Amino acid sequence: MNTTQIIEARSGAVTDEMYVIARMEGKDIEYIREKVASGRVVILKNNLRTNSTPIAIGEGLKVKVNVNIGTTNKKSTIDEEIDKVRISEQAGADALMDLSTGSYIDDTRTSIIQTSHLPVGTCPIYQTGKNTLDKHKNIAKLSKEKMFSDIEKHCKDGVDFITVHCALTRFALMQLQQQKRLMGIVSKGGAMLACWMEATRKENPLYENFDELLDLLRSYDVVLSIGSALRPGCTQDSFDRAQSAETIVMGELVKRARETGVQVMVEGGGHIPLDKIIPTVKTIKEYTDFAPLFIHGPIVCDCAIGYDHITGAIGSSLAAYSGANFICSSRPMECLESATTVHIKNGITAAKISAQSADLAQEEENAVKRNKEIAIAKTEYDWKKQTENSIDATVFDGISPAKKKKPCTMCGAYCSMKSFKKVN
Amino acid sequence: MNTTQIIEARSGAVTDEMYVIARMEGKDIEYIREKVASGRVVILKNNLRTNSTPIAIGEGLKVKVNVNIGTTNKKSTIDEEIDKVRISEQAGADALMDLSTGSYIDDTRTSIIQTSHLPVGTCPIYQTGKNTLDKHKNIAKLSKEKMFSDIEKHCKDGVDFITVHCALTRFALMQLQQQKRLMGIVSKGGAMLACWMEATRKENPLYENFDELLDLLRSYDVVLSIGSALRPGCTQDSFDRAQSAETIVMGELVKRARETGVQVMVEGGGHIPLDKIIPTVKTIKEYTDFAPLFIHGPIVCDCAIGYDHITGAIGSSLAAYSGANFICSSRPMECLESATTVHIKNGITAAKISAQSADLAQEEENAVKRNKEIAIAKTEYDWKKQTENSIDATVFDGISPAKKKKPCTMCGAYCSMKSFKKVN
C-alpha cells in the first residue's frame, strides 16, 4: 500500500498490472512501464480492488470506452444498476462510472464495485451535494471536510478513478462571467462548486487543498480525473477563454500530481463543432503535458436531440484520432431522460465504433488486422468470420444468409464482388 | 426545351428555379446564378418534371441529403416503394434515388416520380444489366445501344439526375488489377461495366460515346452524376491509384460536360478511414474543378456491420466539412439486407445530423441560428422550441417534461443550468 503504478514505474519496477496490460495491448512490457512512468499512460486499479481487470489509458494504446450509470431519482433501484453493469460488460465497455444521485448512494456504489469486472469511477461531489440540492438548502453550507470525507469513502470502497473539479478557480470563473456564455456551466459538479465559490467568495477548496487530495488518492492508487467544470454546453460556447483558463490550471495540477506519485488524467469535451475539435484537443494535450484525455462527446451539433450517440460518435472519432484516449459514451437521450439498458447498449456501441475508427486511422495494429479480416470475410461471404469480427455480433441474429456462403439479400445477383471475381 | 440551367445562367438569365433556390438557401439570386454558371452548383430539375421542388447542390450552399430506395427482388412491390418515398419526405431527405433491380422497374420508377415532391435520380445501368445478371447470361452481350436507350427512357420519364459510370476507363481498370485490392470493385454498375470491358477487351462505351450521352442529357436538363466505379469497399483499399485514375477522367468529363451546357456532379466515398477522408475529398475537388461532390458514406471502419448509419455519419460529417456537398445516407444494414422504412428513416436522420454538423462548422448562417436557438431553449426549459428546432421532432413524443418549463428527468434537482442561474 501507499505506492502507485507511477511510483513503481519510475523506480524501474514492473507491476502485475503492467504485465496484464502489456499482453492486452500487444505491447512490450518496457513500453508500458516507460509510459506509466512518464504519466502519459495511467492504469485504473485501486490497491484495494480484487475483482477487476485493470485497464490502461493513454498515448500509444487502444482508445477506451467508458459508460456512465447510476441512480437518478427515488424510484431507481440497485438491481437496475446491476443490470446496467452486466449490459455494459456485454456491450464491451472498458470502464464504468457510477454517477448515482438517487437513494442509497453508498449501497449502490458498493454493489456495483462488487459486481463489475471493469474499473469503476465516481464523482464524489454528487454525493456531497445531494442533501443540499434535493432539499433546496444553501449550497454554501457544504464544507470542505464533507467534500474530502466523501472522497475518502469512495477510495476506501475501491473505486479506481474519481472525477474532481479541482481546476475550477476563481480566475476561470471570472472569465466565464465576463464572456456571457449562452449556457453557462453544464457540468453538475462544476455548477455546485461554482455556486459554492460565488456564495462564499472563497477559492475552490479542492484546488486550495490539492496536496491533501493527492495524499488521499496516493494511499489507494486511485487515478485522479480532473473534471472539466467549464466544458461547453452548446457549440457556440466552445473553445472559449473560460475553458482555457481551467485547462491551464489542469496543466499545473497534472504536474503536481505526477511529481508526488499520483496518477492523473484530465477531462474535456462537451458540445464542440467539427472545426473546433482538433484545436480543443491539441490545446488540452499541450497544456497538460499529454496527460491521458477523457473526452465527453464531443457533441458536434446542438439540434440533434435524442441522437447524442450519433453526434457523440462523430465528435469522439475525430477527438480520439487527434489525441483523446478515453471516450465517455453518450446515450441517445443523454440530456433528456434517465438511462435505459437499451440506450446504454446503443451508446457503448457507438463509442466503440468511434474508438475503432480512431485506432484504425492511427494504424493501431489490432485495428488494422481486424478490419482487414472482415473485408476478406466479406469477399468470401464468410458470415461466421464477419460475425466474429463485428463490433456488435448480435446484428447477425436472424439474418438469413448468415450460415450460407452466399451474397446478402441487398444486392443478390447484382453482387459486384461476385461479378468482378469472374474477370479478375 | 433543349436548354439547361447552366446555359441560362451563363447567358445571364435567371430561371424560375434559381428564384426558388435563392429563397430556400437564403442567398442572393445573383450568387446562385453565378455559381450555376461556373458549374460549382447544379440544380436538380428535369425539364419535363412538374411536381417537384428543385434543389441546388454545391459550393456555398447547405449540404443536402439523398436516400436510396428501390425494389431489390421479385417479392418487393411498388406500394412498398411509395411508402419509402413518403417516409423519406417526412424524415427530411432532399432527394431520392430509385435503384430498383426487382420486378416492374419501369412502373416503379414512374410511380415514384409521380408521387415524390423531391428530385429523383436513377442509375440506368441497373436496368440495362438486369436480364444478364438475373439469368446468368454473358455480360458481354450488353450493347451500347441498350445502355443508351435505357438512359433515354429514364430521362423521358422525368428523372432529375442519373448516375453513369463514364469515367471507368481501361487505364483505371489496369491500375486496379495491378494493385491487388482486397475487395476489388464494390460498385454494382461499375462491376458490370468492368466485366463488359474485360470480356470484350473494349473501352467503356459510356466514355467512348460521351458526347452522345451529353446530347441526351442536355435535351432534358438531367444532371449527370459521374459514378465512382472504383470507390473502395474497405478501408484498406481507399485512396489508391485506381480510384485516382478514375477521378482524373472525371475531371476531364466535367470540363466537357460544362462546356457543352450539361450540368454535372461527381461521386465519391465508400470505405475510407478517418485519416484519408480529407485527402480524398480535396483530391476529388481539385481534379474535378470543384464540381459538386456526391458522397457515399464514407464508412470509417469495416467492422461495425449493422451500424452503417453511424460509421457513415462520422465519415460524411468530416467529408462535408471538407468539401462534399451531397450526402448519400447509409442505412444501418446498408450492406446486409434490403431497406425497411425504419432503417430508411434512421439513415436519413443520421445523414441530416452530418449535414447540419458540417454546415455549423462552416458557419452556414441558418445552421448557426438554429443551433443557437435550441441552446437558448434548453436553458429556458422551453421544450416546445426545442422540439421545433430539432432534427427529429418525434423524439419528444411521450417525453414527460415536454410541456412544462421544468428540467428533464436526467438531472432533475441537479440541473447545472438551474444551479448556476442563481449565482450568475
Short mmCIF file of all heavy atoms in Angstrom, two decimals, chain A residues 66 68 97-99 120-126 151 154 159-166 187-190 193 206 213 217 222-229 231 250 265-268 294 296 326 328:
data_model
loop_
_atom_site.label_atom_id
_atom_site.label_comp_id
_atom_site.label_asym_id
_atom_site.label_seq_id
_atom_site.Cartn_x
_atom_site.Cartn_y
_atom_site.Cartn_z
N ASN A 66 -15.78 4.45 -21.81
CA ASN A 66 -16.43 4.48 -20.50
C ASN A 66 -17.94 4.59 -20.68
O ASN A 66 -18.42 5.14 -21.66
CB ASN A 66 -15.94 5.69 -19.70
CG ASN A 66 -16.68 5.82 -18.37
OD1 ASN A 66 -16.50 5.01 -17.47
ND2 ASN A 66 -17.54 6.83 -18.25
N ASN A 68 -21.41 5.79 -18.35
CA ASN A 68 -21.95 6.32 -17.10
C ASN A 68 -23.23 5.58 -16.74
O ASN A 68 -24.15 5.48 -17.56
CB ASN A 68 -22.29 7.81 -17.24
CG ASN A 68 -21.04 8.65 -17.35
OD1 ASN A 68 -19.95 8.22 -16.99
ND2 ASN A 68 -21.20 9.86 -17.86
N MET A 97 -18.64 4.41 -14.85
CA MET A 97 -18.73 5.36 -13.74
C MET A 97 -20.10 5.24 -13.09
O MET A 97 -21.12 5.20 -13.78
CB MET A 97 -18.50 6.80 -14.21
CG MET A 97 -17.05 7.09 -14.57
SD MET A 97 -16.76 8.87 -14.81
CE MET A 97 -16.50 9.40 -13.10
N ASP A 98 -20.10 5.17 -11.77
CA ASP A 98 -21.35 5.20 -11.03
C ASP A 98 -21.59 6.65 -10.62
O ASP A 98 -20.92 7.19 -9.74
CB ASP A 98 -21.23 4.31 -9.78
CG ASP A 98 -22.40 4.53 -8.82
OD1 ASP A 98 -23.47 5.00 -9.27
OD2 ASP A 98 -22.22 4.26 -7.61
N LEU A 99 -22.54 7.28 -11.28
CA LEU A 99 -22.84 8.70 -11.01
C LEU A 99 -24.17 8.83 -10.28
O LEU A 99 -24.95 9.75 -10.54
CB LEU A 99 -22.86 9.48 -12.32
CG LEU A 99 -21.55 9.48 -13.12
CD1 LEU A 99 -21.67 10.31 -14.39
CD2 LEU A 99 -20.39 10.00 -12.26
N VAL A 120 -14.06 0.94 -11.99
CA VAL A 120 -15.22 1.77 -11.64
C VAL A 120 -14.74 3.16 -11.21
O VAL A 120 -13.80 3.29 -10.43
CB VAL A 120 -16.03 1.13 -10.49
CG1 VAL A 120 -17.16 2.06 -10.03
CG2 VAL A 120 -16.60 -0.23 -10.92
N GLY A 121 -15.41 4.17 -11.75
CA GLY A 121 -15.12 5.54 -11.34
C GLY A 121 -16.35 6.17 -10.69
O GLY A 121 -17.46 5.66 -10.85
N THR A 122 -16.13 7.26 -9.96
CA THR A 122 -17.26 8.01 -9.38
C THR A 122 -16.95 9.50 -9.43
O THR A 122 -15.82 9.89 -9.75
CB THR A 122 -17.51 7.63 -7.90
OG1 THR A 122 -16.31 7.89 -7.16
CG2 THR A 122 -17.93 6.19 -7.73
N CYS A 123 -17.95 10.28 -9.09
CA CYS A 123 -17.78 11.72 -8.96
C CYS A 123 -18.31 12.07 -7.57
O CYS A 123 -19.51 12.35 -7.40
CB CYS A 123 -18.57 12.43 -10.07
SG CYS A 123 -18.38 14.21 -10.03
N PRO A 124 -17.44 12.01 -6.54
CA PRO A 124 -17.92 12.07 -5.16
C PRO A 124 -18.76 13.31 -4.81
O PRO A 124 -19.63 13.24 -3.95
CB PRO A 124 -16.62 12.04 -4.33
CG PRO A 124 -15.63 11.36 -5.22
CD PRO A 124 -15.99 11.78 -6.61
N ILE A 125 -18.53 14.41 -5.49
CA ILE A 125 -19.27 15.62 -5.11
C ILE A 125 -20.78 15.49 -5.38
O ILE A 125 -21.58 16.20 -4.77
CB ILE A 125 -18.69 16.89 -5.76
CG1 ILE A 125 -19.12 18.11 -4.91
CG2 ILE A 125 -19.11 17.05 -7.21
CD1 ILE A 125 -18.24 19.31 -5.04
N TYR A 126 -21.16 14.56 -6.25
CA TYR A 126 -22.60 14.33 -6.44
C TYR A 126 -23.22 13.90 -5.12
O TYR A 126 -24.34 14.26 -4.80
CB TYR A 126 -22.87 13.24 -7.49
CG TYR A 126 -22.63 13.65 -8.92
CD1 TYR A 126 -22.05 14.86 -9.26
CD2 TYR A 126 -23.01 12.79 -9.96
CE1 TYR A 126 -21.84 15.20 -10.58
CE2 TYR A 126 -22.81 13.13 -11.29
CZ TYR A 126 -22.22 14.33 -11.59
OH TYR A 126 -22.01 14.66 -12.90
N ILE A 151 -14.84 11.82 -0.59
CA ILE A 151 -13.80 11.31 -1.49
C ILE A 151 -13.11 10.10 -0.84
O ILE A 151 -12.92 9.06 -1.47
CB ILE A 151 -12.77 12.42 -1.82
CG1 ILE A 151 -13.42 13.50 -2.71
CG2 ILE A 151 -11.54 11.83 -2.52
CD1 ILE A 151 -12.56 14.73 -2.94
N HIS A 154 -15.21 6.93 -0.95
CA HIS A 154 -15.21 6.29 -2.27
C HIS A 154 -13.89 5.54 -2.50
O HIS A 154 -13.89 4.42 -3.01
CB HIS A 154 -15.42 7.34 -3.37
CG HIS A 154 -16.83 7.87 -3.43
ND1 HIS A 154 -17.51 8.02 -4.61
CD2 HIS A 154 -17.70 8.28 -2.46
CE1 HIS A 154 -18.73 8.51 -4.38
NE2 HIS A 154 -18.86 8.67 -3.08
N VAL A 159 -13.05 2.40 -5.48
CA VAL A 159 -13.18 2.99 -6.83
C VAL A 159 -11.80 3.19 -7.43
O VAL A 159 -10.82 3.47 -6.73
CB VAL A 159 -13.97 4.34 -6.86
CG1 VAL A 159 -15.37 4.17 -6.28
CG2 VAL A 159 -13.22 5.44 -6.18
N ASP A 160 -11.71 3.01 -8.74
CA ASP A 160 -10.42 3.05 -9.41
C ASP A 160 -10.05 4.44 -9.92
O ASP A 160 -8.88 4.73 -10.13
CB ASP A 160 -10.44 2.05 -10.58
CG ASP A 160 -10.76 0.65 -10.11
OD1 ASP A 160 -9.89 0.04 -9.47
OD2 ASP A 160 -11.90 0.18 -10.32
N PHE A 161 -11.07 5.27 -10.16
CA PHE A 161 -10.78 6.66 -10.58
C PHE A 161 -11.91 7.56 -10.13
O PHE A 161 -13.06 7.11 -10.01
CB PHE A 161 -10.53 6.76 -12.08
CG PHE A 161 -11.67 6.34 -13.00
CD1 PHE A 161 -12.37 7.29 -13.74
CD2 PHE A 161 -12.02 4.99 -13.14
CE1 PHE A 161 -13.41 6.90 -14.59
CE2 PHE A 161 -13.06 4.60 -13.99
CZ PHE A 161 -13.75 5.56 -14.72
N ILE A 162 -11.57 8.79 -9.82
CA ILE A 162 -12.62 9.74 -9.42
C ILE A 162 -12.47 11.05 -10.16
O ILE A 162 -11.37 11.51 -10.45
CB ILE A 162 -12.63 10.04 -7.90
CG1 ILE A 162 -11.29 10.61 -7.44
CG2 ILE A 162 -13.04 8.84 -7.09
CD1 ILE A 162 -11.40 11.22 -6.04
N THR A 163 -13.62 11.62 -10.47
CA THR A 163 -13.65 12.95 -11.07
C THR A 163 -13.73 13.99 -9.96
O THR A 163 -14.63 13.93 -9.12
CB THR A 163 -14.88 13.09 -11.99
OG1 THR A 163 -14.73 12.18 -13.09
CG2 THR A 163 -15.00 14.50 -12.53
N VAL A 164 -12.76 14.91 -9.97
CA VAL A 164 -12.76 16.02 -9.01
C VAL A 164 -12.55 17.30 -9.82
O VAL A 164 -11.63 17.38 -10.64
CB VAL A 164 -11.64 15.85 -7.96
CG1 VAL A 164 -11.73 16.98 -6.92
CG2 VAL A 164 -11.73 14.50 -7.28
N HIS A 165 -13.40 18.29 -9.56
CA HIS A 165 -13.31 19.53 -10.33
C HIS A 165 -12.36 20.52 -9.65
O HIS A 165 -12.74 21.63 -9.29
CB HIS A 165 -14.70 20.13 -10.52
CG HIS A 165 -15.66 19.21 -11.21
ND1 HIS A 165 -16.39 18.25 -10.53
CD2 HIS A 165 -15.98 19.08 -12.52
CE1 HIS A 165 -17.12 17.56 -11.40
NE2 HIS A 165 -16.90 18.04 -12.61
N CYS A 166 -11.11 20.10 -9.52
CA CYS A 166 -10.15 20.87 -8.74
C CYS A 166 -9.46 21.97 -9.54
O CYS A 166 -8.70 22.76 -8.99
CB CYS A 166 -9.11 19.95 -8.11
SG CYS A 166 -8.52 18.68 -9.23
N SER A 187 -21.72 21.32 -16.32
CA SER A 187 -21.19 20.24 -15.50
C SER A 187 -21.88 20.33 -14.15
O SER A 187 -21.88 21.40 -13.52
CB SER A 187 -19.67 20.42 -15.35
OG SER A 187 -19.21 19.91 -14.12
N LYS A 188 -22.47 19.21 -13.72
CA LYS A 188 -23.21 19.25 -12.45
C LYS A 188 -22.28 19.56 -11.28
O LYS A 188 -22.54 20.45 -10.48
CB LYS A 188 -23.93 17.91 -12.22
CG LYS A 188 -25.20 17.80 -13.04
CD LYS A 188 -25.94 16.50 -12.75
CE LYS A 188 -25.44 15.40 -13.65
NZ LYS A 188 -26.27 14.18 -13.60
N GLY A 189 -21.17 18.80 -11.20
CA GLY A 189 -20.21 19.04 -10.12
C GLY A 189 -19.61 20.43 -10.21
O GLY A 189 -19.44 21.12 -9.21
N GLY A 190 -19.33 20.84 -11.44
CA GLY A 190 -18.77 22.18 -11.64
C GLY A 190 -19.73 23.27 -11.19
O GLY A 190 -19.33 24.24 -10.54
N LEU A 193 -19.82 23.59 -7.36
CA LEU A 193 -18.65 24.29 -6.83
C LEU A 193 -18.69 25.77 -7.18
O LEU A 193 -18.34 26.61 -6.35
CB LEU A 193 -17.37 23.65 -7.38
CG LEU A 193 -16.99 22.34 -6.68
CD1 LEU A 193 -15.98 21.56 -7.49
CD2 LEU A 193 -16.44 22.64 -5.27
N LEU A 206 -11.07 22.36 -3.33
CA LEU A 206 -10.40 21.20 -3.91
C LEU A 206 -9.11 21.63 -4.63
O LEU A 206 -8.19 20.84 -4.80
CB LEU A 206 -11.34 20.48 -4.88
CG LEU A 206 -12.59 19.94 -4.18
CD1 LEU A 206 -13.71 19.68 -5.19
CD2 LEU A 206 -12.28 18.68 -3.40
N LEU A 213 -5.68 16.28 -1.13
CA LEU A 213 -6.36 15.38 -2.08
C LEU A 213 -5.37 14.35 -2.63
O LEU A 213 -5.67 13.15 -2.69
CB LEU A 213 -6.97 16.21 -3.22
CG LEU A 213 -7.66 15.45 -4.34
CD1 LEU A 213 -8.90 14.72 -3.85
CD2 LEU A 213 -8.05 16.38 -5.50
N LEU A 217 -5.47 10.16 -2.46
CA LEU A 217 -5.53 9.31 -3.65
C LEU A 217 -4.33 8.38 -3.74
O LEU A 217 -4.44 7.23 -4.14
CB LEU A 217 -5.61 10.18 -4.92
CG LEU A 217 -6.81 11.12 -5.00
CD1 LEU A 217 -6.73 11.97 -6.27
CD2 LEU A 217 -8.12 10.35 -4.97
N VAL A 222 -5.77 5.58 -6.42
CA VAL A 222 -6.95 5.98 -7.20
C VAL A 222 -6.49 7.03 -8.21
O VAL A 222 -5.76 7.96 -7.86
CB VAL A 222 -8.05 6.56 -6.28
CG1 VAL A 222 -9.15 7.22 -7.09
CG2 VAL A 222 -8.61 5.47 -5.38
N VAL A 223 -6.87 6.83 -9.48
CA VAL A 223 -6.47 7.79 -10.52
C VAL A 223 -7.35 9.05 -10.41
O VAL A 223 -8.57 8.95 -10.37
CB VAL A 223 -6.60 7.17 -11.93
CG1 VAL A 223 -6.34 8.21 -13.02
CG2 VAL A 223 -5.64 5.99 -12.08
N LEU A 224 -6.68 10.18 -10.36
CA LEU A 224 -7.41 11.46 -10.36
C LEU A 224 -7.80 11.82 -11.79
O LEU A 224 -6.94 11.88 -12.67
CB LEU A 224 -6.51 12.56 -9.78
CG LEU A 224 -7.05 13.99 -9.93
CD1 LEU A 224 -8.36 14.18 -9.18
CD2 LEU A 224 -6.01 15.02 -9.45
N SER A 225 -9.09 12.04 -12.00
CA SER A 225 -9.56 12.52 -13.30
C SER A 225 -10.02 13.96 -13.06
O SER A 225 -11.04 14.19 -12.41
CB SER A 225 -10.70 11.63 -13.78
OG SER A 225 -11.07 11.97 -15.08
N ILE A 226 -9.24 14.90 -13.54
CA ILE A 226 -9.56 16.31 -13.26
C ILE A 226 -10.78 16.72 -14.10
O ILE A 226 -10.71 16.77 -15.32
CB ILE A 226 -8.36 17.24 -13.54
CG1 ILE A 226 -7.13 16.75 -12.74
CG2 ILE A 226 -8.71 18.68 -13.19
CD1 ILE A 226 -5.89 17.61 -12.94
N GLY A 227 -11.87 16.98 -13.43
CA GLY A 227 -13.14 17.28 -14.09
C GLY A 227 -13.10 18.58 -14.88
O GLY A 227 -12.40 19.52 -14.51
N SER A 228 -13.86 18.60 -15.94
CA SER A 228 -13.94 19.79 -16.78
C SER A 228 -15.22 20.54 -16.44
O SER A 228 -16.26 20.35 -17.07
CB SER A 228 -13.92 19.34 -18.24
OG SER A 228 -14.14 20.43 -19.09
N ALA A 229 -15.13 21.40 -15.44
CA ALA A 229 -16.32 22.14 -14.97
C ALA A 229 -16.84 23.09 -16.04
O ALA A 229 -18.03 23.36 -16.11
CB ALA A 229 -15.97 22.91 -13.70
N ARG A 231 -16.64 22.81 -19.41
CA ARG A 231 -16.83 22.30 -20.78
C ARG A 231 -18.09 22.94 -21.35
O ARG A 231 -19.05 23.23 -20.61
CB ARG A 231 -16.91 20.78 -20.78
CG ARG A 231 -18.12 20.20 -20.07
CD ARG A 231 -18.19 18.68 -20.29
NE ARG A 231 -19.42 18.15 -19.71
CZ ARG A 231 -19.54 17.70 -18.47
NH1 ARG A 231 -18.49 17.72 -17.65
NH2 ARG A 231 -20.68 17.24 -18.02
N MET A 250 -5.44 22.89 -15.00
CA MET A 250 -5.30 21.43 -15.11
C MET A 250 -3.84 21.06 -15.32
O MET A 250 -3.32 20.13 -14.70
CB MET A 250 -6.11 20.89 -16.30
CG MET A 250 -7.59 20.81 -16.07
SD MET A 250 -8.36 20.07 -17.55
CE MET A 250 -10.08 20.04 -17.04
N MET A 265 -5.39 11.92 -14.94
CA MET A 265 -5.84 12.19 -16.31
C MET A 265 -6.71 13.46 -16.28
O MET A 265 -7.03 13.96 -15.20
CB MET A 265 -6.58 11.01 -16.94
CG MET A 265 -7.81 10.53 -16.24
SD MET A 265 -8.49 9.05 -17.11
CE MET A 265 -9.72 8.49 -15.94
N VAL A 266 -7.05 13.98 -17.45
CA VAL A 266 -7.86 15.19 -17.49
C VAL A 266 -9.11 14.96 -18.34
O VAL A 266 -9.12 14.09 -19.21
CB VAL A 266 -7.07 16.40 -18.05
CG1 VAL A 266 -5.87 16.72 -17.16
CG2 VAL A 266 -6.63 16.16 -19.48
N GLU A 267 -10.14 15.74 -18.05
CA GLU A 267 -11.39 15.59 -18.80
C GLU A 267 -11.62 16.80 -19.71
O GLU A 267 -11.14 17.90 -19.45
CB GLU A 267 -12.56 15.44 -17.81
CG GLU A 267 -12.41 14.19 -16.96
CD GLU A 267 -13.60 13.93 -16.02
OE1 GLU A 267 -14.67 14.53 -16.20
OE2 GLU A 267 -13.42 13.12 -15.09
N GLY A 268 -12.36 16.57 -20.77
CA GLY A 268 -12.68 17.64 -21.70
C GLY A 268 -13.88 17.23 -22.52
O GLY A 268 -14.46 16.17 -22.29
N PHE A 294 -9.72 12.20 -21.17
CA PHE A 294 -11.03 11.55 -21.03
C PHE A 294 -12.04 12.53 -21.65
O PHE A 294 -12.25 13.60 -21.14
CB PHE A 294 -11.29 11.34 -19.53
CG PHE A 294 -12.54 10.57 -19.16
CD1 PHE A 294 -13.27 9.84 -20.07
CD2 PHE A 294 -12.96 10.58 -17.82
CE1 PHE A 294 -14.40 9.13 -19.68
CE2 PHE A 294 -14.10 9.87 -17.43
CZ PHE A 294 -14.82 9.15 -18.36
N HIS A 296 -15.75 13.77 -23.19
CA HIS A 296 -17.22 13.65 -23.14
C HIS A 296 -17.74 14.19 -24.47
O HIS A 296 -17.45 15.32 -24.83
CB HIS A 296 -17.77 14.46 -21.98
CG HIS A 296 -17.24 14.03 -20.66
ND1 HIS A 296 -17.99 13.34 -19.75
CD2 HIS A 296 -16.01 14.17 -20.11
CE1 HIS A 296 -17.25 13.08 -18.69
NE2 HIS A 296 -16.05 13.58 -18.87
N PHE A 326 -9.81 8.30 -24.07
CA PHE A 326 -10.83 7.60 -23.29
C PHE A 326 -12.14 8.30 -23.61
O PHE A 326 -12.30 9.49 -23.34
CB PHE A 326 -10.45 7.77 -21.81
CG PHE A 326 -11.19 6.93 -20.81
CD1 PHE A 326 -11.77 5.71 -21.14
CD2 PHE A 326 -11.27 7.36 -19.48
CE1 PHE A 326 -12.42 4.95 -20.17
CE2 PHE A 326 -11.91 6.61 -18.51
CZ PHE A 326 -12.50 5.40 -18.86
N CYS A 328 -16.07 8.89 -23.22
CA CYS A 328 -17.25 8.69 -22.39
C CYS A 328 -18.44 8.56 -23.32
O CYS A 328 -18.79 9.50 -24.03
CB CYS A 328 -17.44 9.88 -21.44
SG CYS A 328 -18.73 9.54 -20.23
#
